[in-house]
Amino acid sequence: MLPFPGLACAAWILPAAFHLLHVDWMSLPLLFFGTASLVRSGVALFDRLMLTCVLLLGEVITAGLLFSLWPWGLHPVPMAGTLLTVTLVAALVTGRRPTLPRRVLPTDLLALALAAYASAQLYRPLRGRSPNERLLYTVVTEDKGSHFSMFDAIHRVGGYTYFHAAEASTSMNPQMARVYPPGSHFLYTVLDTFLRSTTDAGPAAEAYDRYFLYTILGYGFLVLALVWSARWIAGPTVTGWRRALVCAVVGTVAATGQLIGVFTLGHDSASLGIAVLALTIAVLVRPAGRVREQVLVVGAALVTLAFVYNLFVVSAAPAVLVAAVVYRRRLRTAPIFTAIVGTITGAIVLIPIVGPQLTGFSQTKQLQAAGGIEPMSRNLVAACIVITVASLLTRAGRRSPVWRVMSAQLVLVTAAVGAFHLYQTLTLGETSYYYEKAFQGLYSIALIGIGSIGLLLRPTLAPEPENPRLRPLARSATGLAAVIAGVTLVGGIQWGPVHTAEGANGPDTTYAARWSSGFDRQRVGETAKVLRARGFFGTGPSTLFVYSDTGTDNWRISFLDAILKRRLGSLDTTVTGIPWLAGLASYGQGGRNREQEVRRLEQVVRDSPKPLRLVITNRTLAERFERLAASQPKLLLEVVRTPAIE
């Protein structure tokens, strides 16, 4: 084995060579498996790799603070060199030699299969389509566009937008650049940089298409994280067909059920946040190996959670407190290390939580904001909570600290979500967007706690065959039956064609099948496809589109167009001036003059800091603005008439 100086040189020479060959992505498996070989928690290979994921996510997020401030930005060579050096230092300090477990469990393959299925279903509508045709599915909501704008801005400024808000704000919402947690966007940007061997995002339309694909992979990771978390919490006492049942139920719910709405509505940070929340709860509830390694894994998970979706830190906080109490004797074996890591973790976690407050951002006001979101099933959450708490009725459940921590966590988070419900009801008269977000956190925590059902079921369904050679076959058959039962129990199989009525799924229609069959396609995507084919959307000068009588339609397509032109920052106030202008597409038809709305649109044009192009489908309205452009040439206003969009 090479001495440390030689390995340290290799940690920089290899990334440099990869970069010269335009294969920077090769640094990622080198870093991942190098780190995994030093981890000692997890006796099975899949467990080891998932714990390594948690550690590396936290390491990259934390290193992002350095990457955002040093002069090299997100260049893949210094990033990889630094991270590989940290890995080598960890090996030197611990004295560990590289080693990986070889044990592979059948449920490892089940978890991977369910994650792959979810990603394949989400990708299915895009397969074989041209970039223009993909707009039908990739242009879904303004949320997706906003998240892309942060991904794109991080590419451009070379780090977290917190530290480069002024520069980032030219292409994205200025407030979002200052206050929104950038963790998921940062991770996707780092991945994109290594895969493409460049820090340049390239044309915005192509970058948007890649970003959409990364969010598909992100949802696959969500499925993987939920299945693994449920299995990890269940532990070695839940084996055989019971483990297969738990993994099948959790994975099927995640891969085909309501959670897919997080993806289809463009809630990209929440999607990755749910995955990290599940991983965080898992490593808190059931410690990962030795104390120091456990503390590092928990710290990495909490840092990642805070930067990816800081609302979910509140959902994880009860588990931190309960685990600290229940496992206090373990933690006392390394008090100084625990205190140091805990202090550093707390300081980093506070950055995306307290930092926005220093800019005048109001968390209270934000928590009352409205938004498009689908409520999660209350029945499923209630059932999972009952099953988990019921595990304490068994002797094994009462004696296990894992289920004591998990039950207490669920009760406390349920109480917190209930208090939030009461708060919003008293202040708003009803619950709103962020209450449902908080409930999504409870939903994921309750789902991974369903492993407790294994304590309520018999380990064997029937006596094993007397012939030893037949026993593995019998166990496999029982496990397969459990998987089939779990998948069908939660409605994971699509029977026949997709049926929807007024946005609701018909009998035996899964959310995954509804998306993959094109039923979640949005009108804005169809409009974007038509306008792109006509040479307007995503190309040319700054544009306001007036094609609909509904002001929000005009605003949404203009908003997304500004993002793809990387001009949202300079046009934000202009674009937000049109959602309330109704009836413009039918101006002058049937006595509909809409004079007040037209004058307001004229004022929006005059107040724009940048020259505008108006793309209008109404002939009379277009002629009026042509006269405005002629009478006020300093506006540099361009008016384009285009046929109506059906």
Side-chain angles (χ1 to χ4, degrees):
M1 186 173 181
L2 287 175
F4 181 78
L7 291 173
C9 290
W12 288 86
I13 292 173
L14 284 175
F18 293 154
H19 185 67
L20 290 174
L21 297 172
H22 300 286
V23 289
D24 290 273
W25 62 267
M26 293 183 68
S27 294
L28 298 179
L30 183 64
L31 174 65
F32 181 77
F33 287 104
T35 303
S37 69
L38 300 179
V39 175
R40 293 297 179 261
S41 302
V43 296
L45 180 60
F46 186 41
D47 294 337
R48 174 74 60 83
L49 297 181
M50 290 302 294
L51 291 170
T52 302
C53 275
V54 177
L55 277 172
L56 279 180
L57 286 174
E59 183 181 351
V60 172
I61 288 288
T62 303
L65 298 170
L66 172 64
F67 299 159
S68 300
L69 298 175
W70 72 8
W72 303 286
L74 299 183
H75 194 284
V77 173
M79 281 199 299
T82 300
L83 295 173
L84 287 170
T85 302
V86 170
T87 302
L88 291 175
V89 170
L92 180 66
V93 171
T94 60
R96 294 176 179 178
R97 293 295 184 94
T99 182
L100 286 171
R102 298 181 180 180
R103 187 183 179 195
V104 176
L105 303 176
T107 48
D108 298 350
L109 303 179
L110 177 60
L112 291 170
L114 288 165
Y117 173 79
S119 295
Q121 286 292 91
L122 296 180
Y123 179 72
R124 183 182 169 190
L126 310 183
R127 189 175 58 216
R129 295 183 181 271
S130 68
N132 195 49
E133 290 175 327
R134 284 188 174 192
L135 293 175
L136 289 169
Y137 302 93
T138 59
V139 177
V140 284
T141 63
E142 59 273 16
D143 280 15
K144 180 72 76 175
S146 294
H147 286 300
F148 164 73
S149 71
M150 178 167 276
F151 163 87
D152 193 54
I154 290 173
H155 247 303
R156 190 162 46 79
V157 303
Y160 293 132
T161 55
Y162 294 142
F163 305 111
H164 309 277
E167 186 181 355
S169 294
T170 60
S171 61
M172 65 179 296
N173 179 277
Q175 185 184 47
M176 185 178 182
R178 293 192 305 270
V179 306
Y180 199 85
S184 61
H185 320 84
F186 181 81
L187 292 171
Y188 290 141
T189 303
V190 170
L191 176 62
D192 191 54
T193 298
F194 277 100
L195 291 179
R196 300 177 59 251
S197 296
T198 178
T199 57
D200 182 10
E206 295 177 11
Y208 182 82
D209 195 60
R210 294 196 311 274
Y211 173 76
F212 194 89
L213 296 179
Y214 295 147
T215 62
I216 290 177
L217 294 177
Y219 192 84
F221 181 71
L222 180 154
V223 176
L224 194 68
L226 287 175
V227 176
W228 179 82
S229 298
R231 195 184 80 172
W232 177 261
I233 292 172
T237 59
V238 179
T239 58
W241 74 272
R242 297 177 300 166
R243 178 184 288 167
L245 177 65
V246 168
C247 291
V249 168
V250 173
T252 303
V253 169
T256 67
Q258 274 190 302
L259 273 175
I260 284 183
V262 178
F263 171 84
T264 58
L265 290 174
H267 300 163
D268 300 336
S269 290
S271 177
L272 197 58
I274 288 171
V276 178
L277 175 61
L279 294 170
T280 304
I281 298 301
V283 297
L284 280 166
V285 169
R286 182 173 169 233
R290 301 171 186 177
V291 174
R292 287 180 174 83
E293 202 161 279
Q294 161 71 4
V295 171
L296 283 175
V297 170
V298 169
L302 288 171
V303 165
T304 306
L305 187 62
F307 273 78
V308 169
Y309 204 71
N310 53 24
L311 176 65
F312 289 156
V313 173
V314 179
S315 301
V320 175
L321 299 176
V322 175
V325 172
V326 173
Y327 298 118
R328 60 189 181 278
R329 292 182 180 177
R330 279 174 50 86
L331 297 175
R332 285 174 184 168
T333 62
I336 297 177
F337 184 85
T338 301
I340 292 174
V341 174
T343 301
I344 295 173
T345 298
I348 298 174
V349 164
L350 287 176
I351 291 175
I353 297 175
V354 177
Q357 305 288 336
L358 302 179
T359 67
F361 178 70
S362 172
Q363 292 278 14
T364 303
K365 184 178 179 181
Q366 184 66 23
L367 289 175
Q368 296 178 339
I373 190 169
E374 181 174 350
M376 306 301 291
S377 170
R378 274 56 170 167
N379 287 328
L380 180 61
V381 170
C384 291
I385 292 174
V386 169
I387 290 171
T388 302
V389 176
S391 69
L392 297 179
L393 300 177
T394 67
R395 183 180 178 183
R398 288 192 299 273
R399 297 177 64 178
S400 170
V402 170
W403 295 116
R404 293 202 301 272
V405 175
M406 189 67 198
S407 297
Q409 158 73 4
L410 270 175
V411 170
L412 291 174
V413 173
T414 302
V417 172
F420 192 27
H421 182 285
L422 179 63
Y423 165 75
Q424 286 207 329
T425 302
L426 292 176
T427 55
L428 300 176
E430 60 182 0
T431 58
S432 64
Y433 179 80
Y434 279 102
Y435 168 75
E436 294 300 336
K437 285 292 186 183
F439 198 88
Q440 285 177 352
L442 175 59
Y443 183 98
S444 62
I445 295 171
L447 187 60
I448 62 176
I450 203 174
S452 59
I453 198 172
L455 301 177
L456 308 175
L457 301 172
R458 294 175 55 185
T460 57
L461 294 177
E464 290 191 333
E466 294 183 3
N467 188 339
R469 295 181 179 179
L470 296 178
R471 289 173 187 172
L473 181 61
R475 291 171 191 156
S476 298
T478 304
L480 180 60
V483 169
I484 295 173
V487 171
T488 54
L489 178 67
V490 294
I493 298 178
Q494 175 65 40
W495 300 99
V498 172
H499 295 286
T500 63
E502 298 180 355
N505 289 356
D508 299 322
T509 291
T510 69
Y511 285 81
R514 190 176 80 178
W515 165 265
S516 64
S517 299
F519 281 82
D520 284 325
R521 201 165 67 186
Q522 302 295 317
R523 181 181 177 185
V524 66
E526 298 174 0
T527 303
K529 177 178 177 292
V530 172
L531 291 173
R532 179 69 173 271
R534 296 178 185 178
F536 299 132
F537 185 72
T539 60
S542 302
T543 304
L544 293 183
F545 295 94
V546 183
Y547 74 97
S548 171
D549 277 335
T550 304
T552 52
D553 288 345
N554 298 324
W555 161 75
R556 186 169 286 113
I557 196 68
S558 301
F559 176 83
L560 294 170
D561 175 72
I563 287 173
L564 290 182
K565 290 173 180 172
R566 293 175 171 143
R567 298 172 189 157
L568 180 62
S570 58
L571 289 175
D572 189 50
T573 55
T574 302
V575 173
T576 54
I578 64 173
W580 298 274
L581 305 182
L584 293 178
S586 57
Y587 172 71
Q589 300 174 8
R592 298 178 181 178
N593 290 327
R594 300 286 185 180
E595 190 61 32
Q596 184 176 358
E597 283 82 356
V598 173
R599 289 181 178 177
R600 288 172 63 185
L601 179 58
E602 289 176 342
Q603 192 60 46
V604 167
V605 170
R606 293 189 184 97
D607 293 341
S608 174
K610 300 286 185 180
L612 290 175
R613 175 177 67 181
L614 285 181
V615 175
I616 302 174
T617 57
N618 181 285
R619 181 185 181 89
T620 305
L621 185 66
E623 290 174 347
R624 174 160 177 167
F625 277 90
E626 286 171 351
R627 291 193 295 271
L628 175 66
S631 64
Q632 299 184 35
K634 291 184 179 181
L635 292 176
L636 300 178
L637 175 63
E638 178 186 355
V639 181
V640 179
R641 283 180 282 175
T642 189
I645 301 173
E646 299 299 332

